[in-house]
Amino acid sequence: MNGAGAGTPRRIGVLRQIREDLDTVVARDPSRPRLRDALLHSPWHGLALHRIAHRLHLRDHRFAAGLLTLAGRLLSGMELHPGARIGRRAFIDHGFGVVIGETARVGDDVTLYHGVTLGSRGWSRAPEPGVRRHPVVGDDVLIGVGASVLGPVTIASGNRIRAHSLILRDLPAPGRAVRIDPVREVAHHSRSTA
């Protein structure tokens, strides 16, 4: 994973990153084919404010970061904790209801649809500073509408997560064998044949 998903992210200036996110909206949202259209994409506003809030959070300006996070939530309907690391060229489509927790790390070129949660599995505070409670998402991952990825799981680069999925364990790189719970396999089979 490059970017936010890796141990050493490639740092670029915040204004360059915000512009890169805007260009990503133009490139990936057919309803926003021009730059001026992309300026009205509300998830971009929330992400731009998150980029600034994250830098403030890293410098221990927690109150200012919190104010920007609140403004981003009001503008976009997304809850992006200022401590979360979101990689380059992120694309959040429709955005409303997206939640990304404090210790989450999101790689480069990730697509999230509305209602996605990258959250923890409990409300209690971590016993030690630096303990990860939220997911790590690799590069070039797509997470469908309403999907929840909960806890300190790792989603390998290149994965595609279906709408309304609940992910509670690591997902290896696509093409690698994954053990499937037989009960879920039967339930999925019965739904597909009904």
Side-chain angles (χ1 to χ4, degrees):
M1 281 186 284
N2 294 324
T8 309
R10 293 174 303 200
R11 293 288 296 229
I12 63 172
V14 70
L15 293 179
R16 181 172 168 213
Q17 193 170 32
I18 290 169
R19 174 57 194 252
E20 191 174 64
D21 291 333
L22 187 61
D23 291 339
T24 300
V25 172
V26 172
R28 295 171 65 190
D29 188 344
S31 71
R32 308 285 182 183
R34 296 178 303 228
L35 197 58
R36 71 179 189 187
D37 298 324
L39 287 168
L40 300 176
H41 185 74
S42 64
W44 173 77
H45 297 138
L47 186 57
L49 288 172
H50 168 77
R51 301 286 191 202
I52 299 166
H54 180 68
R55 303 283 170 112
L56 291 169
H57 182 84
L58 292 176
R59 293 181 179 107
D60 210 29
H61 299 294
R62 304 285 170 107
F63 186 75
L67 285 175
L68 285 176
T69 299
L70 177 61
R73 182 178 184 186
L74 294 172
L75 281 172
S76 67
M78 300 186 305
E79 179 91 25
L80 309 178
H81 192 285
R85 289 192 282 165
I86 300 174
R88 296 176 64 182
R89 297 172 304 277
F91 179 64
I92 303 173
D93 196 17
H94 297 289
F96 200 82
V98 169
V99 176
I100 301 178
E102 178 182 18
T103 62
R105 291 184 291 166
V106 178
D108 296 337
D109 303 302
V110 169
T111 299
L112 305 177
Y113 288 93
H114 63 278
V116 167
T117 299
L118 303 178
S120 69
R121 292 177 78 179
W123 56 267
S124 63
R125 293 188 176 269
E128 304 168 19
V131 171
R132 187 165 63 92
R133 303 181 320 274
H134 300 94
V136 169
V137 177
D139 297 336
D140 190 34
V141 170
L142 182 143
I143 303 179
V145 173
S148 294
V149 183
L150 303 178
V153 300
T154 300
I155 307 301
S157 294
N159 271 296
R160 303 294 181 255
I161 297 174
R162 291 185 217 180
H164 307 291
S165 296
L166 174 61
I167 308 296
L168 300 174
R169 60 183 175 177
D170 294 350
L171 286 182
R176 296 199 42 208
V178 179
R179 183 178 176 274
I180 298 188
D181 181 354
V183 173
R184 286 188 183 174
E185 189 174 41
V186 168
H188 179 68
H189 178 69
S190 66
R191 276 184 282 185
S192 64
T193 59

